[in-house]
Amino acid sequence: MADFATAPSRRALLQTLAIVPAAASTLPIVSPWAETLTTLHNRYDDHPAVLARTREGRNLSRFRYQNAERSCQLMELGFFSEPRHAPPVLHQAGFVTQQALCAYLLDIGFTDAWNARHIKQDIAKALAYANATGLGYDCRDVTRLATVLSPYWKWGYHYDDWEEDRPRTGGFLPATITPLARALVEHVRDVTGHPRPNGARALRREVRS
C-alpha cells in the first residue's frame, strides 16, 4: 500500500503550476500523486480521476466550503447537545465534512461529476482521497469519525426501536463530534484559502457568547 504520509504536498504541486500562463482557463495537472491515486482507485474500484484545476472548480470549491462553514456554525449553536442527540449531530457532521472535503477535492482538480459518482456520502473515502492529494490532515479521531459517519445518510434515517437496527455511534457524543467537524473545516479553509461566508464572523461571536 502506498504511504500517504510521504506523498508530495499540495503546496509542492501548486508550485509546479506557477509556470502555467495565468490566462489559461484550465490547468491540467501532471499529478505527483499518480501512484497513491491508483492505489485508491483500485481499492475502491473507482473510475480514474483526471485532475484539472479550473476557475469553475475553484468557484464551486468555495461554494462547498462556505456550505460547510454555515452548517458547522449551526451545529455549534448546540440545539442538539445531549448524549441521546448523537445520531442527528452525526448526520449534521456528515454533511459538514462531506462539503468540506469535496471543497478540497474540487480545488485540487477533481470534478464535481467525479465526486458525485464516486464520493457520494462516503466520508472515509473522501478523507482518503483528500489526504492522498496533499490535504495533510492526519487526525486519528477524525479518521475514526469518518468511518462512523460513512455513509452519512444512515444517521438521518428513522430506525425502529430494535437496537440491532441502529448504526453504532462509536462512542461519539455531540460534545466531541462538533469540535472535530470544526477543526476539519478550519483546516480546509487554511489550505484552500477560501474566505468565510458573509456574516460568518458575527455568527461565530454569537456562538461563543
Side-chain angles (χ1 to χ4, degrees):
M1 181 179 296
D3 184 358
F4 297 159
T6 60
S9 69
R10 177 180 184 274
R11 176 174 294 179
L13 171 61
L14 297 186
Q15 286 174 345
T16 68
L17 297 179
I19 62 173
V20 178
S25 61
T26 300
L27 307 178
I29 294 177
V30 179
S31 174
W33 304 306
E35 183 178 350
T36 55
L37 284 175
T38 297
T39 298
L40 288 178
H41 294 332
N42 291 338
R43 178 193 300 177
Y44 295 116
D45 195 25
D46 286 340
H47 184 79
V50 178
L51 305 189
R53 302 190 77 226
T54 66
R55 290 193 184 96
E56 180 184 4
R58 175 71 177 172
N59 290 338
L60 188 54
S61 170
R62 182 176 65 251
F63 176 77
R64 294 276 190 266
Y65 155 70
Q66 293 186 345
N67 271 351
E69 175 65 40
R70 293 187 185 96
S71 297
C72 192
Q73 289 174 359
L74 291 177
M75 288 179 63
E76 291 170 326
L77 291 174
F79 295 127
F80 300 100
S81 57
E82 298 179 14
R84 64 187 176 88
H85 293 146
V89 175
L90 285 167
H91 189 252
Q92 290 177 315
F95 178 78
V96 168
T97 53
Q98 189 259 5
Q99 292 288 290
L101 291 168
C102 283
Y104 175 82
L105 294 175
L106 287 163
D107 189 54
I108 201 65
F110 289 83
T111 67
D112 193 41
W114 191 94
N115 288 343
R117 178 178 178 182
H118 296 289
I119 298 298
K120 299 178 183 178
Q121 296 189 351
D122 191 331
I123 310 305
K125 183 193 283 193
L127 182 62
Y129 271 106
N131 277 331
T133 50
L135 179 64
Y137 201 68
D138 185 18
C139 173
R140 182 177 302 177
D141 286 338
V142 168
T143 300
R144 191 167 66 87
L145 176 62
T147 300
V148 169
L149 290 175
S150 302
Y152 79 82
W153 61 260
K154 66 188 177 186
W155 296 107
Y157 186 76
H158 175 73
Y159 291 90
D160 294 330
D161 292 334
W162 296 102
E163 183 64 25
E164 59 267 23
D165 291 336
R166 300 175 183 273
R168 301 295 181 246
T169 65
F172 285 106
L173 301 173
T176 58
I177 298 165
T178 301
L180 291 174
R182 165 53 65 190
L184 178 60
V185 170
E186 288 298 304
H187 186 77
V188 169
R189 185 180 73 87
D190 289 343
V191 171
T192 61
H194 289 316
R196 297 190 196 278
N198 293 335
R201 292 180 180 177
L203 182 54
R204 293 198 76 192
R205 286 195 296 270
E206 179 181 340
V207 168
R208 293 171 179 172
S209 64

